[in-house]
């Protein structure tokens, strides 16, 4: 059984089925891709998984436990971390403070439950400051650590969101277009980081438009169109799929 | 302020963006976009999500002021002019996915279209002639119609208000392929009547059939410009990376 | 049964007026996006204008009605939109709330100024209230029937407007999609202005219709708006039919409760007859609490235009000590009456300080801080008649718990709904609790003065003097301020800032927004309660009136609610406003010989004008002052110089070598000069300009000392005051300008196409023309 599962996940906005009957399996230790054209329902699926939206139907389970009735913050405490397509950084604070807030909030609630070991520290339990420094460094944000996030370019702000999400030591990480706004070398670096995190045992669900990146890091890809899963498989399989080609490029007229 | 730009080339475009930089707050989205829409031509603006297509359009129609660069209409600098002023002067925009007012009736939607200067009767005549279905539904709330019908209503406004330049953003969003085809048929017709059109489209193949020029954007910059044939070859790598 | 019928029939016209008023509120809010807290005040002003035209100038009532409703009120509304509302487009909700609230205060002041209270003004109903007809055996005046009739006509006209005219359709279109209206060529700005005109008109109708049944009192008429808030809340600030239903519930309920409950009815010693006036806040609170849960707000939905610097701990401690020193220093120069003003100022400052964590750090709003202070004060007094530190601690704890309890249901609310909920609470507390004989016997209660001396075992130290009060309040403010800075710099402060920046991101990090907000509310209420508990005043019900809460929030935000110094400045401004009154007591200005206005009354309008500045400068006054004095603080010489100079001048004044007026003059001049002084000593100035600046500074300062301010040609205090302020400002500006601090900002305006030569719509033919002009050959032209 996969670490994170959705079964029959659906949501209706007015008369419009934005997400319809979506079954996803996100395995620990792997990067799973979720791709599809604009408006296909990818971000909505993220919102349903982490509890920002309530589904009109279907279930979400984490490690076999139903989490569909829990609030957003309770799901986060069980280990679901995420980033946002439309940035949700704490723009009036510095990069370091953004990550620190995440770590502090985690420290606040982790007292009541067991805490996962940090993914990036090779063994040992670093102090709060050490952990924050580690995250800032690993995302290549060292040079801008004391810059206000509101004045950073999009790409770097996205990296801040990733570092912040990692600060709560999640078991599942939902990444919503993390590479948009990054240059080639930054994207490359991010890809390596994702693989590394997955190797350390994290389950990553990646929404991304940079298809080469998806092909490179994902072991399994789901393709969403009109709120439905229209294909799934290995990156190569999906790439060859004609339905997917049509969904992306439209049928030739 | 200079009243008109000097004529430097003999093929001055009707709409031109020069070195446009734009940002949401402090977050830069466009890093110097140059784009020409020659008179009477259909220009297709393609590219993956987040490339800056919609922002480019927002700058062109006046909804967003650029941080740097110029917007020229018929050679005149209109940078920073308000969207409603440009709209009243023949630069008609149909924005992404929501070109209609859902809580107004079809007829009321056309009432709003009269700001361009036409009489309601004239607009209704054009709209209902081209889309008889709208006439049947003229007292229905636009939001209760199907996606295709809503997009037709939006197009009807674009048609009837006699634009000089038409900007279209993601006409096909959430629509069935057959409807999309029908819509692009109409775009082609409008183009043949001499209107300059800038169209943003995610489904590249659909639009390449009607376009004269295609432009691919990536990460807030124009990556390539060419004929539809040239661009089609590049498409797969831009979108699917293979 | 007959009684019930009678009050039902009285309730229906009331409901009709409430419906009209609430409709105006809803129309303005849905279309312009700004909730108009001043809606009632506009109606009140309209009622006064009607009285002036009809009774004062003797024009017929129908003409007065038409003039006010169709000319004056719409113009006034449009003017407000243009001058005030445009400026706050895109500002945070806190700012929009504060701006319309301050407008309300300003309009109240304006009414008191133009139509001084005390005079008996009666608005007689249409047909002089003489005609009446009998319905089911109940006599109903024609005026009341007209109230219902007008409501029906208003609804009909409104429907026609919204459905049958282009501007009406455009108004609905703005609600749907503002940008799309622009893309159609519609002007959302114009539509918004029209909606304000319409809203004012409707407020005016309601005000004029209700005036005969109420006294023509500014405050009574203004607060009628709470009923409109409640009706609008039932309509979720959107739906007009539901708003009408809300108005009906409110009109009937209020009429029944006020009419049927006897004065003698009590539960224990709780007087039930207060329920009638408390009905609308109760309905408002209930309606808001049952509103559907809003989505978690994300960062993108509103611009953050306010940025406050986080002070260092050192700055906080130095500031607290400086505050104590300055407060005592100033107090020693004042006579006991004036010292009371300083007590008031520091009390207001401490109450304002309670908004710093809540509004400044966490971005939440409250319009109930004076109410919390009142709870703290009353609680201390009820626990024990003598001052005991433990009593104060207990009172603070009670207030904090109360704040938390209030926050709990209001938690999922934000912005406008939170403001309304806290306002409803404040009104409820006043009507239902503070007016009870049990709580405030004879409408007042003495809060025990601080027995600091007794408690410390140094009984000699005068415990109830104003000076002791000032010391206690200044110390309390300093300590709370240091505490808040500490909090802001620490874990909790970061968390609050994060929550303000993006609540949704906080939730996905595992933060329980509920607990964080409850704690913040408790802290805020606790600080306000502390202010009430140690102010040592005789609290009267009048001080705790519902509307007394508004100036606190307005002044705190105007002062700069994100920083401790902002709360200090805001509170002190509020406290020393009466100084103006006494200084200008004897002066009056004429207004075209129509009105004779005492200048002191102008100070009542001042708070209203304060809010106007927020549109341009949402961070408030304090950061601006700080920016102005930044060069001085960076310069060691200038800092040390002022630290030495100001005490010297103070000693001169205290030993009466110079008189109070000269002291003020020197201080004003010195403060004006300080920024220039810093530039002067920094050595970056060209020597010629440095020389000029120095000469100006020395001559100016010498003048301040030498000029005989106290005996200035037998003039009044007012002229003296103006003269010395003007002197200080002129010298300061002259010196700073020569030092070259002021740069003239370049104004940027978007060009209109008209300005660049496009005067009519561009059609296809124009395109051809344009291309010809651009030199295209005939064959290439578009649209051949």
């Amino acid at each position: 059984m996969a670490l994170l599962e959705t079964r029959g996940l659906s949501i209706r906005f007015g008369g419009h089925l934005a997400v319809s009957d979506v079954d996803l399996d996100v395995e620990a230790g792997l990067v799973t891709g979720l791709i599809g054209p604009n408006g296909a329902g990818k971000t909505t699926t993220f919102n349903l998984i982490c509890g920002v939206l309530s589904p009109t139907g279907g279930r979400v389970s984490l490690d076999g436990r139903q989490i569909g009735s829990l609030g957003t913050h309770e799901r986060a405490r069980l280990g679901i971390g995420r980033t946002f397509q439309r940035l949700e950084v704490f723009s009036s604070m510095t990069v370091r403070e953004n990550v620190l807030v995440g770590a502090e909030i985690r420290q606040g609630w982790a007292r009541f439950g067991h805490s996962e070991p940090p993914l990036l520290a090779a063994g040992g339990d670093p102090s709060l400051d050490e952990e924050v420094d580690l995250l800032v460094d690993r995302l290549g944000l060292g040079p801008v650590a004391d810059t206000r996030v509101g004045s950073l370019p999009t790409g770097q702000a996205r990296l801040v969101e990733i570092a912040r999400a990692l600060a709560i030591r999640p078991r599942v990480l939902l990444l919503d277009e993390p590479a948009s706004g990054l240059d080639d070398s930054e994207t490359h670096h991010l890809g390596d980081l994702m693989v590394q995190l997955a190797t350390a045992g994290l389950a990553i669900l990646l929404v991304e438009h940079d298809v080469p990146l998806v092909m490179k890091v994902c072991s399994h890809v789901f393709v969403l169109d009109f709120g439905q899963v229209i294909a799934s498989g290995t990156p190569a399989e999906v790439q060859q799929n004609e339905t997917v080609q049509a969904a992306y490029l439209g049928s030739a007229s | 302020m200079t009243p008109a730009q000097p004529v430097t080339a003999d093929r001055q475009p009707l709409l031109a963006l020069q070195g446009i930089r734009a940002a949401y707050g402090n977050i830069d989205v466009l890093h110097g976009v140059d784009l020409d829409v020659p008179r009477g031509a259909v220009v297709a603006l393609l590219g993956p999500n987040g490339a800056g297509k919609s922002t480019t359009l927002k700058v062109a129609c006046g909804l967003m002021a650029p941080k740097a660069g110029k917007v020229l209409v018929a050679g005149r600098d209109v940078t920073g002019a308000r969207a409603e002023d440009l709209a009243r002067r023949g630069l008609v925009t149909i924005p992404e996915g929501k070109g209609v007012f859902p809580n107004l009736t079809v007829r009321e939607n056309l009432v709003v279209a009269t700001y361009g200067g036409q009489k309601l009767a004239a607009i209704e005549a054009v709209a209902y002639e081209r889309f008889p279905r709208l006439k049947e539904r003229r007292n229905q709330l636009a939001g209760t119609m199907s996606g295709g019908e809503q997009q037709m209503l939006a197009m009807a406004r674009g048609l009837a208000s006699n634009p000089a330049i038409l900007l279209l953003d993601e006409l096909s969003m959430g629509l069935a392929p057959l409807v999309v085809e029908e819509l692009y048929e109409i775009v082609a017709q409008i183009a043949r009547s001499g209107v300059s059109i800038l169209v943003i489209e995610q489904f590249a193949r659909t639009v390449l059939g009607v376009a004269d020029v295609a432009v691919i954007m990536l990460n807030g910059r124009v990556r390539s410009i060419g004929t539809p044939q040239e661009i089609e070859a590049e498409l797969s790598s831009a979108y699917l990376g293979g | 049964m007959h009684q019930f019928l009678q009050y039902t029939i009285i309730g229906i016209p009331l409901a009709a007026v409430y419906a009209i008023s609430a409709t105006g509120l809803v129309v303005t809010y849905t279309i312009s996006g700004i909730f108009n807290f001043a809606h009632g005040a506009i109606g009140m002003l309209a009622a006064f204008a009607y009285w002036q035209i009809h009774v004062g100038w003797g024009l017929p009532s129908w003409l007065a009605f038409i003039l006010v409703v169709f000319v004056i009120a719409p113009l006034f509304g449009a003017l407000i939109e243009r001058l005030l509302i445009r400026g706050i487009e895109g500002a945070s909700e806190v700012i929009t709330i504060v701006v319309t609230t301050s407008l309300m205060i300003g309009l109240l002041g304006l009414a008191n100024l133009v139509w001084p209270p005390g005079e008996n003004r009666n608005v007689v109903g249409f047909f002089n209230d003489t005609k009446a007809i009998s319905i089911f055996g109940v006599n109903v005046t024609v005026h009341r029937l007209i109230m219902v009739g007008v409501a029906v006509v208003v609804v009909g006209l409104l429907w026609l407007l919204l459905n049958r005219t282009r501007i009406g359709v455009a108004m609905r279109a703005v609600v749907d999609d503002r940008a799309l209206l622009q893309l159609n060529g519609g002007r959302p700005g114009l539509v918004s202005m029209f909606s304000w005109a319409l809203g004012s008109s409707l407020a005016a109708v309601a005000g004029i219709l209700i005036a005969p049944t109420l006294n023509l009192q500014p405050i009574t008429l203004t607060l009628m708006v709470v009923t409109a808030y409640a009706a609008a809340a039932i309509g979720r600030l959107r739906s007009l039919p539901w708003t009408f239903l809300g108005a009906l519930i409110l009109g009937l309920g209020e009429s029944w409760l006020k009419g049927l409950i006897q004065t003698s009815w009590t539960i224990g010693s709780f007087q039930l007859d207060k329920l009638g006036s408390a009905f609308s806040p109760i309905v408002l609170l209930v309606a808001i609490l049952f509103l559907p849960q809003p989505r978690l707000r994300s960062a993108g939905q509103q611009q953050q235009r306010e940025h406050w610097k986080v002070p260092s701990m050192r700055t906080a401690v130095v500031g607290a000590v400086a505050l104590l020193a300055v407060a005592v220093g100033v107090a020693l120069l004042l006579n006991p009456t004036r010292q009371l003003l300083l007590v008031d100022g520091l009390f207001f400052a401490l109450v304002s300080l309670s908004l710093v964590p809540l509004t400044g750090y966490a971005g939440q709003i409250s319009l109930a801080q004076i109410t919390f202070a009142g709870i703290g004060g009353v609680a201390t007094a009820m626990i024990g008649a003598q001052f005991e530190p433990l009593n104060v601690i207990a009172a603070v704890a009670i207030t904090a718990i109360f704040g938390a309890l209030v926050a709990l249901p209001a938690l999922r609310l934000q912005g406008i709904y939170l403001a309304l909920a806290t306002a409803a609470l404040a009104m409820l507390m006043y009507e239902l609790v503070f007016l009870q004989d049990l709580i405030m016997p004879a409408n007042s209660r003495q809060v025990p003065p601080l027995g600091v001396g007794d408690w410390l075992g140094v009984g000699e130290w005068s415990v109830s003097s104003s000076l002791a009060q000032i010391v206690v309040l200044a110390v309390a403010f300093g300590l709370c301020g240091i505490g808040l800075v500490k909090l802001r710099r620490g874990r909790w402060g970061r968390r609050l800032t994060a929550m303000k920046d993006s609540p949704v991101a906080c939730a996905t990090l595992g933060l329980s927004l509920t607990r964080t907000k409850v704690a913040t509310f408790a802290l805020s209420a606790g600080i306000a309660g502390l202010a009430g508990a140690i102010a040592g005043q005789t609290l009267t019900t009048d001080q705790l009136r519902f509307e007394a809460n508004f100036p606190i929030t307005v002044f705190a935000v105007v002062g700069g609610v994100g920083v401790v110094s902002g709360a200090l400045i805001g509170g002190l401004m509020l406290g020393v406003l009466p100084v103006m009154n006494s200084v200008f007591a004897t002066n009056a200005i004429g207004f075209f010989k129509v009105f004779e206005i005492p200048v002191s009354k102008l100070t009542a309008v001042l708070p209203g004008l304060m809010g106007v500045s927020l549109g341009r400068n949402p961070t408030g006054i304090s950061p601006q002052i700080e920016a102005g004095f930044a060069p001085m603080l960076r310069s060691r010489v200038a800092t040390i110089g002022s630290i030495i100079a100001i005490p010297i001048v103070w000693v001169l004044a205290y030993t009466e070598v110079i008189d109070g007026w000269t002291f003020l003059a020197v201080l004003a001049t010195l403060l004006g000069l300080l920024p220039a002084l810093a530039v002067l000593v920094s050595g970056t100035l060209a020597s010629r300009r440095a020389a000029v600046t120095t000469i100006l500074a020395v001559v100016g300062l010498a003048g301040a000392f030498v000029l005989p301010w106290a005996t200035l040609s037998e003039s009044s205090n007012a002229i003296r005051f103006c003269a010395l302020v003007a002197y200080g400002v002129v010298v300061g500006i002259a010196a700073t300008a020569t030092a070259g601090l002021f740069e003239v900002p370049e104004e940027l305006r978007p060009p209109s196409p008209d300005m660049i030569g496009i005067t009519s719509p561009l059609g296809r033919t124009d395109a051809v023309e344009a291309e010809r002009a651009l030199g295209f050959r005939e064959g290439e032209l578009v649209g051949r």
Side-chain angles (χ1 to χ4, degrees), chain B residues 173-192:
Chain B
M173 176 83 105
L175 296 181
L178 223 67
V179 181
V180 176
E181 224 168 276
E182 196 180 337
L183 285 171
Y184 274 104
E185 199 96 328
I186 298 161
V187 172
Q189 271 182 27
I190 300 176
R192 279 196 291 277

Side-chain angles (χ1 to χ4, degrees), chain C residues 715-735:
Chain C
S715 58
S716 69
N717 279 350
I719 294 178
R720 220 174 270 147
F721 185 76
C722 290
L724 66 85
V725 169
Y727 182 82
V729 168
V730 167
V731 173
I733 287 180

